[in-house]
Each structure stands twice: as structure tokens, then as C-alpha cells.
């Protein structure tokens, strides 16, 4: 088994590299890495139902879907991620605990009384400091998990708090847990120092002499895969799960509500309602949006070239866009 340290903080590249490590790397691997602020969404989730899209957009936080199941998580540079690419198809119930044990053992050498709990969590003093997920490939199994060291828990609570009235979806929802940062237990360490100590502990535990460099050919492939998959709206926000959307705002022109359904990643059945006035039937404006991808940028583009004040007197495209709290 080799230890790799991935120094990139680009979430799209990192998830692409992780996928390739699991699928193509010739031996078993443990890899440490970090992301710049990002929300990482589970493979089977409806992204829009998991995030506060407005807060995400205002903060410039990336949203990327991973290939493993489980719930949405927030990453920043105070969160260290570990990847384990293991041989074989590990389908048994004990697989999560077995692979988490290597991380737990290293934490215990640092004086952290970490314990595996439930299906896929690591707890300290009853609080979650790590969650994990897995994906079974043809002849390999990918495990990965988070390690909260000095993550901004305030931001975490804001960006992973969707408006429950906005989205009605049957997608798999995340389960929120009581979380803690490991820095509470290791106050003298920075995130960089903790990650370095984690690497040193893994080398010792795995009886390795040095960290293995990430292969150059996989870096090139990962950048290509990131462009083709992990930076695409279709992968990160697209979903086979139909859902409905509604949101109401009060403007100087009156109250305006929009409702629509999303089917096969396209907006349908758009309806505007409210106590506003207009010169033309608002159904015409609604029809301009039907068939669009349900993304903030696409709707912004449609509204920008529509004379929205003809349909809702006294409103601007920028104001009307506030109704669309989408990613």
C-alpha cells in the first residue's frame, strides 16, 4: 500500500484524481488531500434540495458531486480528506469500520480517543469529526472520508441549510449530526501541521519510508476528467429525480411567486402569480422559461433578454431573478 499526498485544492480536479486513483492506480493507496471551500454532494442526491444556493453563490463556493453515496458535506482548508483505494469488491457491512481503522489508529497516536460509530462515522466525545462513503468498482473499492480539524462550522451551517419550502423532492436527504473540530483537542496545531502529522503517522503505521508522488500521467488525465465531468452542470446539479420549486418575494410592484416543475433536468409548467399589474399576459413570460435548464445563470440570461416589465409592471430582470434561488 502506498501513501500519496495530493496538494491541489481544486475540488473538481481532486474528485477526478480520486476516481482515477481508484480505477487505474496499480496498487492499494491511502491519499490525503484538501479542498478550497466547496460542497461535495452525494452521488444519489438532488443538489438543489441540499444547499442554500443563494449563500453558496454569494460566497463563491464550488458545488461538486462525487461518485460515492451518502450525504452532502462542506469542505474547506480546515478539513482534511482521506482516500483509500482497496483491492476487491468490499460489500460486507464491516467494510467502513475496517477501512476507517487506519485513520482511527493514527488519531489515537496523537492522543485523540476516536471511535467508529454507526454505519460510517468517527466520533470523539460523542461528536462527529469524520464521515465516510464508498463506491464499489469493477475490482476495487473506493473509500473516502472527512476529518474536521479547523473547518468553519458557521459557514457549514449556512450553506447546507436549504429552504425546505423551496424544493419538494424525493431525493436522498442528508442527515445532520452534532459535529466538532479536532483543533479543540489539538489547539497548538495548525491545519497544515495536523495534515503533516497525519501523513507521518500513516507512514509509520503502514511501515513506509516515504510518500509516493502522484503519477504525472494521472494528473493530466484528472485535469481532462475534471473538465469533462466534475466541472459540468449536468453532473453536479443534474438529477433524474423530478421535483417542484416555488418561491415568493415582495417587491415595490407587489408580491410575486413563481412555481415550476423540473423533469429530466428541464423546467416545465412555470406559473407566475401575485398581486402585480402588467401590460401583457404573464403566461408569455412563463413560457419563455419552460424548457430551460434550472440553473441560476441560464435563467438570468433568459430574463435579461425579456422585457419583464411588460409582464410585471415596475420590476427589473435583476429583481425578478431573486425568485430563482438555484445553483
Amino acid at each position: 500500500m502506498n501513501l500519496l499526498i495530493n496538494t491541489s485544492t481544486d475540488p473538481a480536479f481532486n474528485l477526478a484524481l480520486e476516481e482515477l486513483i481508484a480505477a487505474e492506480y496499480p496498487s492499494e493507496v491511502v491519499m490525503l488531500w484538501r479542498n478550497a471551500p466547496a460542497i461535495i454532494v452525494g452521488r444519489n442526491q438532488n443538489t438543489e434540495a441540499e444547499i442554500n444556493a443563494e449563500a453558496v453563490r454569494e460566497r463563491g463556493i464550488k458545488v461538486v458531486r462525487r461518485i460515492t453515496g451518502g450525504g452532502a458535506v462542506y469542505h474547506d482548508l480546515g478539513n482534511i480528506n482521506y482516500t483509500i483505494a482497496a483491492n476487491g469488491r468490499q460489500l460486507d457491512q464491516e467494510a467502513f469500520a475496517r477501512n476507517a481503522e487506519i485513520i482511527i489508529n493514527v488519531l489515537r497516536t496523537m492522543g485523540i480517543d476516536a471511535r467508529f460509530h454507526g454505519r460510517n462515522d468517527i466520533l470523539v466525545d460523542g461528536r462527529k469529526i469524520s464521515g465516510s462513503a464508498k463506491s464499489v468498482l469493477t475490482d476495487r473499492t473506493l473509500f473516502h472520508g472527512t476529518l474536521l480539524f479547523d473547518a468553519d462550522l458557521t459557514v457549514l451551517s449556512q450553506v447546507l441549510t436549504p429552504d425546505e419550502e423551496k424544493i419538494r423532492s424525493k431525493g436522498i436527504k442528508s442527515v445532520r449530526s452534532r459535529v466538532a473540530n479536532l483543533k479543540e483537542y489539538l489547539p497548538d496545531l495548525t491545519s497544515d501541521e495536523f495534515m503533516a502529522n497525519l501523513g507521518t503517522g500513516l507512514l509509520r503505521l503502514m511501515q513506509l519510508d516515504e510518500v509516493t508522488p502522484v503519477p504525472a500521467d494521472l494528473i493530466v488525465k484528472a485535469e481532462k476528467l475534471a473538465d469533462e465531468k466534475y466541472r459540468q452542470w449536468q453532473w453536479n446539479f443534474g438529477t433524474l429525480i423530478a421535483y417542484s420549486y416555488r418561491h415568493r418575494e415582495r417587491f415595490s410592484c407587489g408580491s410575486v411567486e413563481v412555481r415550476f416543475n423540473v423533469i429530466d433536468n428541464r423546467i416545465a409548467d412555470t406559473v407566475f402569480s401575485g398581486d402585480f399589474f402588467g401590460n401583457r399576459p404573464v403566461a408569455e413570460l412563463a413560457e419563455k422559461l419552460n424548457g430551460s435548464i434550472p440553473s441560476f445563470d441560464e435563467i438570468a440570461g433568459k430574463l435579461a433578454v425579456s422585457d419583464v416589465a411588460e409582464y410585471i409592471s415596475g420590476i427589473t430582470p435583476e429583481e425578478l431573478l431573486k425568485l430563482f434561488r438555484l445553483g
Side-chain angles (χ1 to χ4, degrees):
M1 181 173 276
N2 293 334
L3 175 64
L4 278 61
I5 307 292
N6 171 21
T7 58
S8 166
T9 59
D10 175 356
F13 172 85
N14 290 344
L15 289 173
L17 178 63
E18 181 183 58
E19 178 180 339
L20 293 171
I21 290 288
E24 299 184 10
Y25 196 78
S27 65
E28 294 188 308
V29 166
V30 177
M31 181 169 69
L32 300 180
W33 50 285
R34 292 190 294 177
N35 279 331
I39 294 175
I40 309 301
V41 182
R43 178 68 181 90
N44 304 307
Q45 293 189 295
N46 178 348
T47 301
E48 292 290 1
E50 292 299 319
I51 67 173
N52 181 334
E54 201 167 27
V56 167
R57 191 163 50 250
E58 288 173 356
R59 292 177 177 273
I61 293 171
K62 303 290 186 183
V63 178
V64 187
R65 189 186 300 277
R66 61 182 186 265
I67 63 171
T68 60
V73 292
Y74 173 70
H75 288 183
D76 63 20
L77 294 178
N79 175 84
I80 287 79
N81 303 294
Y82 67 89
T83 297
I84 299 174
N87 291 335
R89 295 169 56 83
Q90 299 191 25
L91 302 172
D92 57 293
Q93 293 295 318
E94 293 73 34
F96 278 112
R98 184 169 60 249
N99 284 276
E101 195 65 25
I102 188 172
I103 301 299
I104 289 172
N105 286 338
V106 174
L107 291 176
R108 286 177 176 169
T109 66
M110 300 181 190
I112 303 296
D113 185 20
R115 299 175 183 272
F116 189 82
H117 177 78
R119 186 182 62 165
N120 58 342
D121 294 339
I122 299 174
L123 306 186
V124 177
D125 290 342
R127 293 185 295 169
K128 181 176 175 177
I129 56 95
S130 175
S132 57
K134 76 170 181 175
S135 181
V136 179
L137 309 180
T138 302
D139 57 358
R140 299 258 279 180
T141 304
L142 167 66
F143 293 88
H144 57 186
T146 58
L147 278 171
L148 292 171
F149 182 77
D150 194 17
D152 191 331
L153 301 182
T154 302
V155 174
L156 183 155
S157 66
Q158 292 173 351
V159 298
L160 287 177
T161 308
D163 182 349
E164 297 292 346
E165 292 300 314
K166 181 188 76 171
I167 297 287
R168 297 296 186 188
S169 172
K170 296 181 180 179
I172 297 172
K173 292 289 291 176
S174 298
V175 177
R176 306 295 174 217
S177 302
R178 185 166 170 252
V179 298
N181 272 318
L182 284 168
K183 190 170 177 65
E184 293 182 31
Y185 305 92
L186 300 167
D188 296 331
L189 294 183
T190 66
S191 297
D192 289 347
E193 290 167 339
F194 172 72
M195 185 171 176
N197 288 357
L198 191 63
T200 299
L202 285 167
L203 285 174
R204 186 181 303 115
L205 184 69
M206 297 159 66
Q207 298 182 333
L208 298 172
D209 294 327
E210 59 185 5
V211 172
T212 301
V214 178
D217 64 320
L218 280 189
I219 292 175
V220 173
K221 285 185 178 181
E223 190 59 46
K224 184 173 185 291
L225 181 59
D227 280 341
E228 294 175 349
K229 179 177 179 178
Y230 289 100
R231 295 188 180 113
Q232 297 299 316
W233 183 94
Q234 185 69 26
W235 171 255
N236 295 322
F237 285 89
T239 175
L240 297 177
I241 304 163
Y243 64 93
S244 60
Y245 175 100
R246 66 182 292 272
H247 187 66
R248 177 188 293 270
E249 290 274 356
R250 176 159 288 280
F251 305 99
S252 60
C253 64
S255 177
V256 185
E257 179 178 275
V258 67
R259 301 190 308 276
F260 56 78
N261 296 317
V262 176
I263 304 169
D264 294 332
N265 295 315
R266 297 286 173 174
I267 291 174
D269 311 315
T270 304
V271 175
F272 288 100
S273 60
D275 58 1
F276 53 84
F277 297 99
N279 300 323
R280 297 171 63 179
V282 75
E284 292 181 8
L285 178 60
E287 188 57 34
K288 292 175 185 289
L289 300 182
N290 286 339
S292 303
I293 292 172
S295 78
F296 182 86
D297 289 341
E298 177 145 339
I299 292 170
K302 292 285 183 73
L303 295 181
V305 297
S306 302
D307 192 355
V308 298
E310 279 292 297
Y311 305 101
I312 302 173
S313 296
I315 202 166
T316 66
E318 292 75 21
E319 288 176 317
L320 192 57
L321 193 56
K322 293 179 182 178
L323 290 176
F324 298 90
R325 296 183 172 181
L326 298 166

